[in-house]
């Protein structure tokens, strides 16, 4: 399938053409054309085209609309025809668009209604949509949103501490550059040959717009841009984080109106506000010549980025991978170095020769961490257009869903103990007594029980599941976490780094340990069932429970395939209560992963 991707910004139009087989992985997509119109001015704009050796010339177009209308001629001249779909990058999809959406009249209206949240970007995006729909009226046009990847961020990351009425009117954090962060996270995990779900990763997208994103175990946890794309890092012309108190101050002291202040924060701040130029190449060149403003700007830029790395490492309970991307992240070794300097204490150090030697082509992802350090540091080109083409190809080619059901099992709170924990709780060398076998082969409930002790209260008679594990893990529900007064994170079993500490009490003593989690819902699936259904280890699916109870769809349920597993889904008691489950229940599987394997 041949897909044209349009990425329209306020002052540029980037576009690319990709050949991608429906259902194929991102790595298999082939880019057949790449070009951009940039810096529109009354006397024309720059035109850059070519994949391997791009050339820049001048073109006569003075606006985004003119440039978009010129795209068919550019493609014709390059011998590119048979466009089968157009993918549009849309900056703000609000809370509504969790995935790509076909650009119907209603969808376009919804995107237009979100303009107040992305005043610089959504109007430009929609202008290109308008022109492109008239130029290619007979092919489907799809929107891929910068915000979708972050829509599952937890409430604590997206909620501003402001009056309730404001929050109820829709004020919240969203986050942007989602397509880029998602792509580079997958690319880094591929390069490291580790599943993304095992990694805690910070992605730094440093282009004209810039944002940091914390990606914990495959999901965006938090990102530095907020309700709008103004929050966070220092950018080309945007301020990033400022004290909102400046609105009152500037209004009283300088008589500025809200619109003027906002305009200045979007267009005259960041590198431009600090140095007069929004272009990091200029700023670096001037700093090298001794310009004090440029030197300070570079220091502020790096310092802000480093603060976010530290904050996100804390938010995720550690850091395994840092990825640089975007024009500055990809091309400025000195900025990468400044950002990473001083992070030795958290196991992050780059190798200066590797850092200087980075040249990126053919979607390379290069590792630049110093040998033997704990945190892997990678540099890779972002490939937003490629990712957009991939998402559009997949969305268009999804076959009709099939019906697959699996049994649901409700896990009440329980603990898995280590040898050390059993010794402390029941006495040295004590052996637990298997009482009842569980459906997962070789697993059992012990006759013994323990008490969980938290700062707010205790929970007694908590079941112990055997056999022993190398590391103690305590699985409770959200309701339990309030009773204990401890904030347990939602984690997959075994992902225990950075989890809170709790006291377990047994007949022979107590044991303080980390490992307190709310178990993320998951599906155990044996290899034969997985093959038959067409799922692989690590896939995620949606599971709908509506044959009984209150009717609920659990989204993003991780599938864990093992040879001897008994195929069933595990949810906790809060989830079961929310779904109104009693007795034996089955859930119906759906979702993209299932559709990819007809
Ligand atoms: P956009 O966000 O518009 O896609 P880019 O990702 O292309 O922007 O990033 C543009 C930024 O990258 C500019 O500040 C530019 O100066 C910077 N940049 C590009 N090449 C280099 C380089 N070799 N050294 C430093 N900065 C660079």
């Amino acid at each position: 399938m041949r897909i044209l991707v349009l990425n329209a910004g306020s002052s540029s139009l980037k576009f690319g053409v990709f050949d991608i087989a429906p259902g194929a992985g991102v790595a298999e997509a082939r880019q057949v054309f790449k070009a951009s119109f940039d810096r529109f001015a009354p006397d024309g704009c720059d035109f850059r085209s070519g994949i391997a050796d791009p050339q820049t010339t001048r073109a006569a177009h003075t606006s985004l609309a003119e440039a978009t209308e010129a795209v068919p001629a550019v493609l014709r001249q390059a011998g590119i025809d048979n466009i089968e779909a157009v993918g549009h990058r849309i900056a703000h999809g609000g809370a509504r668009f969790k995935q790509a959406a076909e650009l119907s009249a209603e969808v376009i209206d919804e995107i237009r209604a979100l303009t107040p949240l992305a005043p610089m970007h959504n109007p430009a995006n929609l202008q290109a949509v308008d022109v492109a729909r008239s130029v290619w009226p007979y092919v489907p046009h799809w929107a891929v949103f910068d915000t979708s990847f972050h829509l599952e961020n937890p409430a604590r990351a997206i909620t501003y501490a402001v009056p309730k009425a404001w929050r109820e009117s829709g004020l919240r954090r969203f986050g942007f550059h989602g397509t880029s962060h998602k792509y580079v996270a997958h690319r880094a995990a591929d390069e490291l040959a580790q599943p993304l779900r095992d990694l805690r990763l910070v992605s730094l997208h440093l282009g004209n717009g810039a944002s940091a994103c914390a990606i914990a175990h495959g999901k965006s946890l938090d990102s530095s841009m907020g309700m709008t794309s103004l929050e966070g890092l220092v950018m080309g012309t945007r301020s990033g984080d400022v004290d909102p108190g400046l609105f009152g101050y500037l209004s009283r002291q300088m008589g500025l109106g809200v619109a003027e202040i906002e305009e200045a924060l979007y267009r005259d701040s960041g590198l431009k506000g600090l140095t007069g130029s929004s272009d990091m190449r200029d700023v670096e060149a001037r700093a090298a010549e001794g310009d004090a403003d440029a030197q300070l700007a570079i220091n502020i830029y790096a310092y802000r980025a480093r603060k976010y790395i530290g904050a996100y490492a804390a938010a995720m309970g550690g850091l395994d991978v840092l990825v640089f991307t975007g024009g500055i992240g990809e091309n400025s070794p000195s900025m990468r170095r400044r950002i990473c300097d001083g992070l030795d204490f958290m196991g992050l150090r780059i190798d200066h020769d590797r850092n200087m030697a980075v040249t990126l082509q053919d979607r390379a992802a290069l590792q630049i961490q110093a040998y033997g350090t704990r945190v892997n540091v990678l540099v890779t080109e972002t490939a937003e257009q490629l990712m957009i083409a991939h998402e559009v190809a997949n969305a268009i080619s999804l076959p009709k869903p099939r019906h697959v059901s699996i049994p649901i099992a409700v896990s009440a709170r329980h603990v898995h103990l280590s040898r050390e924990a059993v010794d402390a709780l029941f006495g040295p060398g004590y052996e637990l007594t298997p009482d009842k076998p569980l459906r997962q082969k070789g697993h059992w409930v012990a006759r013994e029980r323990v008490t969980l002790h938290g700062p707010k209260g205790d929970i007694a008679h908590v079941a112990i599941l055997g056999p022993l594990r190398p590391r103690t893990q305590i699985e409770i529900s959200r309701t339990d976490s309030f009773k204990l007064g401890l904030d347990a994170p939602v984690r997959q079993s075994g992902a225990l780094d950075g989890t809170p500490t709790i006291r377990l009490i047994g007949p022979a003593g107590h044991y303080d340990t980390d490992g307190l989690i709310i178990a993320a819902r998951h599906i155990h699936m044996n290899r034969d069932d997985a093959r038959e259904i067409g799922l692989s280890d690590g896939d995620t699916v949606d599971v709908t429970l509506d044959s009984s109870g209150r009717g609920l769809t659990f989204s993003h349920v991780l599938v864990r395939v093992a040879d001897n597993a008994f195929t069933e889904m595990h949810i906790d008691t809060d989830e079961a209560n929310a779904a109104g489950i009693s007795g034996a229940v089955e859930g119906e599987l759906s979702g993209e992963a299932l559709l990819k394997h007809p």
Side-chain angles (χ1 to χ4, degrees):
M1 173 174 278
R2 180 157 281 189
I3 296 175
L4 166 67
V5 176
L6 293 177
N7 177 358
S10 47
S11 65
S12 70
L13 173 70
K14 298 179 182 169
F15 55 109
V17 179
F18 298 83
D19 284 345
I20 178 165
V26 179
E28 290 148 65
R30 197 169 66 89
Q31 181 154 23
V32 293
F33 188 72
K34 180 180 180 181
S36 63
F37 292 108
D38 205 0
R39 303 187 206 214
F40 299 114
D43 64 336
C45 63
D46 289 342
F47 173 61
R48 194 171 166 80
S49 78
I51 296 174
D53 181 23
Q55 304 292 322
T56 305
T57 53
R58 289 291 290 169
H61 319 303
T62 58
S63 69
L64 174 65
E66 277 180 36
T68 313
E69 278 165 5
V71 172
V74 172
L75 296 181
R76 250 195 320 276
Q77 214 171 11
I80 306 276
D81 53 10
N82 295 335
I83 298 295
E84 291 168 85
V86 183
H88 296 265
R89 175 184 177 194
I90 306 287
H92 213 309
R96 152 90 167 75
F97 295 105
K98 294 197 165 73
Q99 55 220 359
E102 185 160 9
L103 282 156
S104 62
E106 297 79 59
V107 167
I108 290 173
D109 283 348
E110 287 187 59
I111 296 171
R112 187 162 292 120
L114 292 165
T115 296
L117 292 173
M120 260 169 85
H121 294 98
N122 273 23
N125 301 156
L126 282 179
Q127 196 181 11
V129 170
D130 259 6
V131 178
R133 289 207 328 154
S134 64
V135 173
W136 292 276
Y138 303 114
V139 303
H141 288 251
W142 282 73
V144 176
F145 300 90
D146 263 20
T147 40
S148 298
F149 182 51
H150 308 296
L151 276 188
E152 282 190 80
N153 285 178
R156 64 181 184 278
I158 60 161
T159 309
Y160 290 114
V162 295
K164 191 169 181 194
W166 297 10
R167 285 180 277 126
E168 284 177 347
S169 80
L171 195 84
R172 50 161 279 183
R173 306 185 71 249
F174 287 99
F176 300 85
H177 290 140
T179 315
S180 172
H181 291 305
K182 186 174 169 185
Y183 170 78
V184 299
H186 279 98
R187 184 68 196 85
D190 274 358
E191 181 61 27
L192 297 168
Q194 290 186 49
L196 191 54
R197 69 167 186 274
D198 291 347
L199 298 173
R200 292 158 302 179
L201 188 147
V202 169
S203 157
L204 285 182
H205 176 114
L206 308 177
N208 283 317
S211 70
C213 181
I215 301 165
H217 310 291
K219 285 187 183 181
S220 168
L221 172 83
D222 200 349
S223 69
S224 60
M225 284 178 170
M227 180 183 74
T228 69
S229 57
L230 198 50
E231 194 179 335
L233 302 178
V234 176
M235 302 178 226
T237 64
R238 282 169 264 169
S239 61
D241 294 333
V242 291
D243 180 347
L246 66 73
F247 275 84
Y249 176 86
L250 291 172
S251 149
R252 287 186 299 272
Q253 298 298 315
M254 295 176 68
L256 297 180
V258 170
E260 281 171 289
I261 300 172
E262 222 177 25
E263 173 78 8
L265 291 174
Y266 271 109
R267 296 185 199 276
D268 295 319
S269 301
L271 293 177
K272 185 174 173 201
L274 293 167
T275 68
S277 169
S278 65
D279 193 305
M280 185 58 91
R281 279 165 298 199
D282 293 346
V283 178
E284 286 188 350
R286 273 200 251 158
E289 286 161 11
D291 180 315
D293 287 343
Q295 288 171 349
L296 176 62
I298 286 173
N299 274 334
I300 299 170
Y301 192 98
Y303 177 72
R304 184 89 55 90
R306 194 178 327 127
K307 276 209 300 192
Y308 269 95
I309 297 172
Y312 287 163
M316 294 190 289
L319 180 67
D320 304 305
V321 185
L322 172 67
V323 193
F324 284 99
T325 194
I328 298 168
E330 293 162 23
N331 297 305
S332 176
S334 62
M335 184 51 77
R336 290 194 295 262
R337 176 175 175 166
R338 278 172 190 280
I339 290 173
C340 293
D341 270 349
L343 294 178
D344 268 32
F345 75 93
M346 55 196 274
L348 193 162
R349 184 154 41 90
I350 60 176
D351 178 274
H352 297 306
D353 293 334
R354 281 171 139 188
N355 180 41
M356 290 309 294
V358 167
T359 48
L360 295 173
Q361 51 198 4
D362 297 333
R363 300 178 202 160
L366 302 176
Q367 300 186 36
I368 59 165
Q369 71 276 4
Y371 296 91
T373 45
R374 217 185 52 72
V375 180
N376 290 303
V377 184
L378 284 90
V379 187
T380 189
E381 279 175 296
T382 188
E384 288 161 305
Q385 294 192 16
L386 169 74
M387 198 70 179
I388 291 171
H390 170 69
E391 301 220 342
V392 171
N394 272 346
I396 288 179
S397 59
L398 293 183
K400 290 271 169 285
R402 293 169 295 133
H403 291 287
V404 181
S405 345
I406 58 159
I408 309 291
V410 181
S411 304
R413 66 180 80 95
H414 63 268
V415 301
H416 301 272
L417 298 180
S418 65
R419 181 69 256 166
E420 188 184 83
V422 173
D423 288 348
L425 297 167
F426 296 97
Y430 186 87
E431 292 297 334
L432 294 171
T433 327
D435 188 14
K436 282 188 233 123
L438 294 168
R439 279 196 286 192
Q440 299 301 327
K441 212 170 161 189
H443 295 240
W444 39 266
V445 187
R447 186 165 304 149
E448 294 79 0
R449 294 283 188 269
V450 285
T451 294
L452 309 183
H453 175 72
K456 252 191 148 32
D458 287 1
I459 300 178
H461 304 297
V462 176
I464 304 169
L465 266 49
L468 299 187
R469 290 191 177 182
R471 201 162 163 186
T472 296
Q473 173 168 315
I474 304 97
E475 299 181 33
I476 59 169
S477 68
R478 175 69 68 210
T479 306
D480 292 340
S481 81
F482 284 109
K483 179 148 191 220
L484 293 166
L486 286 163
D487 186 14
V490 178
R491 289 277 178 88
Q492 292 295 337
S493 180
L496 302 180
D497 287 352
T499 50
T501 298
I502 183 170
R503 171 162 294 188
L504 308 183
I505 302 172
H510 66 259
Y511 183 66
D512 293 335
T513 176
D514 64 358
L516 182 71
I517 62 170
I518 295 168
R521 47 186 175 253
H522 54 274
I523 293 172
H524 291 285
M525 190 170 280
N526 74 50
R527 213 165 285 289
D528 294 339
D529 288 342
R531 197 172 303 119
E532 189 169 319
I533 297 170
L535 288 171
S536 320
D537 189 46
D539 279 346
T540 54
V541 292
D542 297 341
V543 182
T544 302
L545 279 67
D546 59 7
S547 54
S548 62
R550 298 160 71 182
L552 195 63
T553 297
F554 292 110
S555 60
H556 298 286
V557 184
L558 180 72
V559 178
R560 309 172 71 167
V561 177
D563 284 333
N564 294 323
F566 179 88
T567 299
E568 64 182 4
M569 171 168 168
H570 285 185
I571 57 177
D572 72 13
T573 45
D574 279 356
E575 290 168 319
N577 288 337
I581 291 178
S582 60
V585 178
E586 296 217 314
E588 176 94 6
L589 305 193
S590 60
E592 231 177 276
L594 206 63
L595 300 168
K596 269 188 238 155
H597 312 270

